Structures are given as structure tokens and as C-alpha cells.
Amino acid sequence: MTKNYLEIPEELYNKLSDYAENDQLSIRLENQQILLENPKINHTNKQNLALHYFIVPSLASGIIALLIFLSTNHPQIAFTGSRHLSVASLSIILSTLFGFFGFIWTYLRKSCDLSKSKFKIFRETLTLSVAYTSISFAVQIIFWYIIGKTFSGVTFDPFTAGFLVLVFVGIIFYFLISAALSVTLPNLILLLFTTFIGGIIVSMATNNQKDWWQHNFSFLGTGEATQHWQFNITLIFSALILLTITDFLFAEFSKSSLYNYKFKLIRIFYILIAFLIAFVGIFPAQSWTMPIHNNSAFGLVAVVLIMIIFLKWLVPTISKEFLALSWTALIALILSAVAFMGIHYLSLTVFEIIAFAIAFTWLVMFINSLRGIIQEGNEWQVKLLQK
């Protein structure tokens, strides 16, 4: 009888031994990947889990909507836009409320990293819940705006309207539960980009009539700006998401043999940058907060410059391509500073946008480079044998 073997390095064998149950491992194929796992672990299908979690909130939202519609004593309920409650308004309100607490509950049940402090878990859970719920809220606003233009004047009886609320809340709740079950570092990076870019664009758009660009970029967060809280909240939550990404990245890095004091220093830099981004939002560019705001903004760029200058020392194994890209970013930052302060070619607004865009993009790309280093450190060559 032919026997098949898998020859693996001793280092990999020692790592797999920590996961084995009585020297047994289960193997499965998923998304063109081969996964070795403890056979005792219950691998509940995420889709079934999300379906299981979303049924009760969806039914509850449908019942609540029906009771509210019946209490209005109106025979017909508007699909969108009305002086009375509509399917759209109740769907947005109930899906946001149920989704927010559902995300928290699901994420806490899924998250079992005992190495994290309770404060970190609380901060991480609350940040992700608010971020994902805010994105779903924004998507719903856009969706219902389009539906309102498409189906203007459409109405339903209270029972049909209540059922429609149930369906729409169920869809959003399913998305949020699936997101809570699938939080990964790449997803968090995408979330950071979505939150930051989306929030900044909305702030720019709402202040277009005030010609904010004639003042400076920080004008968007001052009391003179329209809905200035959007700009400031965007920065604060972007900082919280960056802290969460830092926790995820270095929790994974700490298990690697490559982890040393230099990477601990990089972690400190990222934490400092997150606080500086938050300070830019917490302390607007006005009155007594101006010095803190300016120092935080300049401090952010300064820390990025320091990281780029000492990049080769901090991460000796960094790729030549990323190192070249980093020096290009450094030169671009210096040239933009000279163009603004030296020859006054750039306005303050343009300089701030360029500097912040370069710094923010480089920070995210550096995270991806560090992820690549981790993955390279967790790769082994194996051999298939047949006897």
C-alpha cells in the first residue's frame, strides 16, 4: 500500500504541534488555500452564523415598524420622503441602532485575544462598530436618495411597509454581522481609507460655498465651517482606526522571530502619529487651540520624515522598491515645503493637502510592507513524498 508523506521543516513542525490535538490536524481547502487546523475546533460557517444572528433583529425591526405605522392611523405609508414616518426613515434608524449593538455583540463573541487589555478591546470594538455603522448609514442615505428619485410618490399599506422595513434592516444587519466576523488587517486598511477619504470629501463638499480653499485646509474643522464636526470627527476616528490597525499588525508581528526593539520603536511611532492625527481634530485651528493644532500637524509630518530617514536602519530587510518610494516621498515633502515657505509658489491650503496626502499614503503603504515581511517570515518550503 502506497503511503503519502509531507516533509516539513522542524521549525514548522514545532509550531504545528501547538495546534495539534493528539498529534492530529485537519486539512481543508478554502479560497485556493490549504489550511491546517486543530480538528476539535468548531468551524462554524460564517455565512450561516451571520444568518443565525440577523433573523431575530430583523423580525424585531419589522414588528416595531408595523406597530409604529399602525399607530399613525394612516392607511398608506410613504416609501421615501414624507412628513410622516416612511419605510426609508425607519429602515435607516432601526438598521443603524440594531446594527451598532449587533456589531459590538458579535465582535466581542468572536474576539478572544486574551493578550489584549480590556481597555484595548473596548476601544477596538467601539471604534470598529462606529466606523462600520457610519459607513452603512452613509450607504443607506445614498441608496434611499436614489430610490426616492426613482419611486417618487409610492406608498404601501402598513403591513407591506413593515415587511419592507424588515427586509431592508435584515440586509444591512447581515452586512454588519458579516463584517464583524471578518475583521482582518486588509479590511481595516480599507476601512481607514474609506473613513478618512470619505469624511474629508464630505467636509469639502459641504463647505464649497464658503470657498474654504481660500483660507487653509484646517478651516474645515473651525467654527466658521459648515458642520465642522464632520472634519474633526473624521480625523479622530481615523486615528482610532490607525491605533486598531497598529494593535492588529504588531500583535501578529510579536509572534515572529523578526520582532525586536526596532519594531517596538516603529509601533511607538505609529501610536504617536495616531495621537497627533487625533489632536488635529480635537483642537481646531482657532483661538487658543491654534498652537496645539499647528504643532500636532507639523509633528505628524516630522515623525513621518524621521521614519523615512531611518527606514533602512529600522527595517534592514525592507524592499529596495519601497525604500526608493520612501525617498521619493521625502523629496516631495521637502520640495513642497520649499515651494510654500521659500518661494511662495504654493498656497497654504495646497501645501497642507500635499503634505497630509503624502504622509497618510506613506503610512498606509508602510503597514502593507510590514505585513509582507511578516508573511515572508511565516513561509516554509515543504516536500510531498510517496512510499
Side-chain angles (χ1 to χ4, degrees):
M1 179 180 176
T2 302
K3 291 186 177 182
N4 302 314
Y5 298 90
L6 189 67
E7 186 178 85
I8 62 175
E10 184 176 355
E11 183 184 0
L12 176 58
Y13 174 82
N14 294 331
K15 287 183 177 293
L16 291 177
S17 298
D18 297 333
Y19 296 96
E21 181 75 24
N22 297 324
D23 295 329
Q24 295 291 319
L25 286 168
S26 65
I27 187 168
R28 63 190 177 97
L29 299 176
E30 182 178 302
N31 298 326
Q32 298 182 338
Q33 293 180 331
I34 299 175
L35 303 178
L36 283 170
E37 300 166 318
N38 187 323
K40 296 294 184 180
I41 296 177
N42 181 23
H43 298 290
T44 307
N45 184 279
K46 290 181 179 180
Q47 183 176 359
N48 293 335
L49 199 58
L51 286 170
H52 174 72
Y53 284 166
F54 100 112
I55 290 174
V56 174
S58 300
L59 290 174
S61 64
I63 294 171
I64 292 172
L66 176 60
L67 293 175
I68 293 175
F69 290 148
L70 290 174
S71 67
T72 61
N73 294 320
H74 287 280
Q76 293 294 110
I77 304 298
F79 194 29
T80 61
S82 172
R83 61 189 181 90
H84 307 295
L85 287 175
S86 63
V87 172
S89 60
L90 265 188
S91 296
I92 293 173
I93 294 170
L94 292 176
S95 63
T96 301
L97 288 175
F98 279 116
F100 177 74
F101 293 106
F103 188 100
I104 291 177
W105 183 74
T106 306
Y107 188 77
L108 287 176
R109 283 176 60 89
K110 180 213 120 178
S111 181
C112 56
D113 191 347
L114 300 178
S115 64
K116 294 182 181 179
S117 65
K118 290 183 178 180
F119 173 75
K120 280 187 177 181
I121 293 175
F122 171 78
R123 186 200 71 211
E124 179 181 300
T125 305
L126 187 61
T127 299
L128 294 177
S129 182
V130 171
Y132 276 102
T133 306
S134 299
I135 291 174
S136 70
F137 179 82
V139 170
Q140 288 182 85
I141 294 294
I142 297 172
F143 170 79
W144 285 113
Y145 175 79
I146 296 173
I147 292 297
K149 294 294 184 182
T150 307
F151 298 98
S152 178
V154 174
T155 61
F156 301 97
D157 64 88
F159 290 94
T160 304
F163 175 75
L164 288 173
V165 171
L166 182 153
V167 171
F168 286 116
V169 171
I171 293 172
I172 297 300
F173 198 81
Y174 176 76
F175 160 75
L176 289 172
I177 295 302
S178 299
L181 293 169
S182 307
V183 175
T184 59
L185 193 56
N187 290 345
L188 289 177
I189 294 173
L190 179 61
L191 177 65
L192 177 60
F193 258 110
T194 304
T195 302
F196 183 79
I197 302 300
I200 295 299
I201 290 176
V202 170
S203 299
M204 290 179 177
T206 54
N207 286 278
N208 185 45
Q209 294 180 343
K210 291 199 171 186
D211 294 334
W212 62 271
W213 45 271
Q214 293 185 5
H215 301 273
N216 52 57
F217 190 56
S218 299
F219 173 84
L220 296 172
T222 64
E224 299 178 34
T226 302
Q227 297 180 334
H228 60 277
W229 61 270
Q230 293 177 346
F231 179 81
N232 296 327
I233 290 296
T234 294
L235 292 177
I236 294 170
F237 266 97
S238 295
L240 290 172
I241 295 172
L242 183 59
L243 279 177
T244 302
I245 290 174
T246 303
D247 290 340
F248 267 73
L249 176 66
F250 287 96
E252 187 177 356
F253 225 137
S254 62
K255 301 173 185 177
S256 169
S257 58
L258 301 173
Y259 192 63
N260 54 33
Y261 74 96
K262 293 181 181 178
F263 287 105
K264 291 180 181 178
L265 184 58
I266 295 173
R267 184 175 192 169
I268 293 172
F269 279 140
Y270 266 99
I271 293 173
L272 177 60
I273 287 169
F275 275 104
L276 290 172
I277 293 174
F279 285 166
V280 173
I282 295 172
F283 302 101
Q286 56 189 23
S287 63
W288 65 273
T289 61
M290 181 70 82
I292 302 177
H293 177 92
N294 289 340
N295 289 331
S296 299
F298 283 116
L300 167 64
V301 176
V303 173
V304 172
L305 290 175
I306 292 172
M307 292 176 70
I308 293 175
I309 292 171
F310 293 99
L311 181 60
K312 187 61 179 177
W313 175 78
L314 289 169
V315 189
T317 57
I318 199 73
S319 67
K320 294 180 180 179
E321 292 78 10
F322 185 75
L323 191 61
L325 179 67
S326 299
W327 282 102
T328 302
L330 176 66
I331 294 171
L333 284 171
I334 294 174
L335 289 177
S336 60
V338 172
F340 165 62
M341 293 182 288
I343 61 178
H344 306 292
Y345 175 74
L346 296 177
S347 67
L348 176 58
T349 303
V350 175
F351 169 68
E352 287 180 326
I353 292 176
I354 291 175
F356 212 83
I358 292 175
F360 181 78
T361 304
W362 183 85
L363 286 171
V364 174
M365 294 181 70
F366 188 33
I367 290 173
N368 277 323
S369 295
L370 293 176
R371 278 188 63 239
I373 293 174
I374 296 174
Q375 292 172 350
E376 289 175 4
N378 289 331
E379 289 183 2
W380 294 271
Q381 298 297 319
V382 300
K383 183 184 295 185
L384 292 173
L385 302 175
Q386 193 177 69
K387 294 182 181 180

